Amino acid sequence: MNVTIAGLKRQFPDVRNVDTATLDRWLREQSAPGSSLENSHDDPPVNEPRKLVVLDVRPAEEFAVSSVPTALRVDPEEKDMERVMRTIQESAPSTATADSDQPLISVVMYCSIGYRSSSLASRLQNYVKAQPEQFPDVISVYNLEGSIFKWANEGRRLQDLSGGETRFVHPYSKIWGLLLDGDRRRYSPL
């Protein structure tokens, strides 16, 4: 897994990564009653709270087996970054204040091991950077290091389509699935 992660970081040097422990902490902070996602050492310093959007960048048949809690599915082949931005903005509605007319959003993307999510993260970062007047430092985009395979192998919470807990993950393929613990592989939902 570590060799794969290192290779993805070399292939997508412009994409920031967040580790599984940090995303797990962010999800717990976000779900605490009355709280918002506060900045951590992983984010640039800002004064306002952040909203967290988790995007699952896998096809529907993989998402149907399991996902990280709160994740929204985005097609890995999506080229329309406006559509991706609408998904993000609908999931994290404006928290505008007198000092800011736009929310601060952390977007964490994942797939099976990180290639598809890093690719989409790179495209989204380029889209946001090309429009600084529309997105002035409001969105931080991350790839989940090791993606759902690492998340599952560490025993972190997964949910099925109904929101119930599951331990299974679609292995993507027989070869890449070897990076996923054998007792977690499942090609279809229960």
Side-chain angles (χ1 to χ4, degrees):
M1 178 71 71
N2 291 335
V3 171
T4 302
I5 291 169
L8 289 167
K9 287 180 177 180
R10 279 191 307 277
Q11 189 167 2
F12 297 97
D14 61 323
V15 174
R16 290 187 293 177
N17 286 272
V18 64
D19 62 43
T20 53
T22 299
L23 176 59
D24 196 27
R25 186 182 77 246
W26 287 354
L27 286 168
R28 281 184 274 111
E29 288 171 359
Q30 177 179 267
S31 67
S35 72
S36 58
L37 180 64
E38 296 298 329
N39 298 304
S40 73
H41 65 279
D42 303 300
D43 289 319
V46 292
N47 296 324
E48 294 129 303
R50 290 193 166 283
K51 296 277 189 170
L52 175 65
V53 177
V54 180
L55 297 179
D56 185 309
V57 186
R58 300 179 299 155
E61 59 270 13
E62 292 178 45
F63 185 77
V65 175
S66 65
S67 64
V68 170
T70 76
L72 303 170
R73 193 185 81 76
V74 175
D75 191 291
E77 301 301 319
E78 183 63 68
K79 303 290 186 230
D80 184 351
M81 292 302 102
E82 284 184 33
R83 184 178 298 162
V84 174
M85 285 304 301
R86 276 194 305 276
T87 299
I88 292 166
Q89 290 169 328
E90 288 169 4
S91 176
S94 179
T95 56
T97 66
D99 300 328
S100 171
D101 61 349
Q102 294 195 30
L104 293 167
I105 304 170
S106 291
V107 178
V108 178
M109 299 182 183
Y110 71 89
C111 57
S112 296
I113 58 163
Y115 180 84
R116 295 172 289 179
S117 50
S118 290
S119 178
L120 183 60
S122 180
R123 292 193 309 269
L124 183 62
Q125 283 179 175
N126 291 337
Y127 175 79
V128 168
K129 285 179 187 174
Q131 301 179 62
E133 67 288 340
Q134 188 175 356
F135 306 111
D137 298 323
V138 267
I139 297 177
S140 296
V141 180
Y142 302 91
N143 176 62
L144 178 60
E145 187 178 273
S147 281
I148 199 169
F149 283 9
K150 184 175 179 187
W151 182 271
N153 287 343
E154 292 173 350
R156 299 189 189 276
R157 186 171 182 274
L158 295 165
Q159 66 183 25
D160 60 21
L161 280 179
S162 69
E165 287 202 30
T166 185
R167 59 178 281 103
F168 302 108
V169 174
H170 191 288
Y172 181 70
S173 73
K174 288 184 180 187
I175 293 175
W176 287 111
L178 294 174
L179 294 173
L180 183 62
D181 291 348
D183 63 337
R184 295 191 175 276
R185 298 178 202 144
R186 179 156 301 202
Y187 283 92
S188 60
L190 291 176

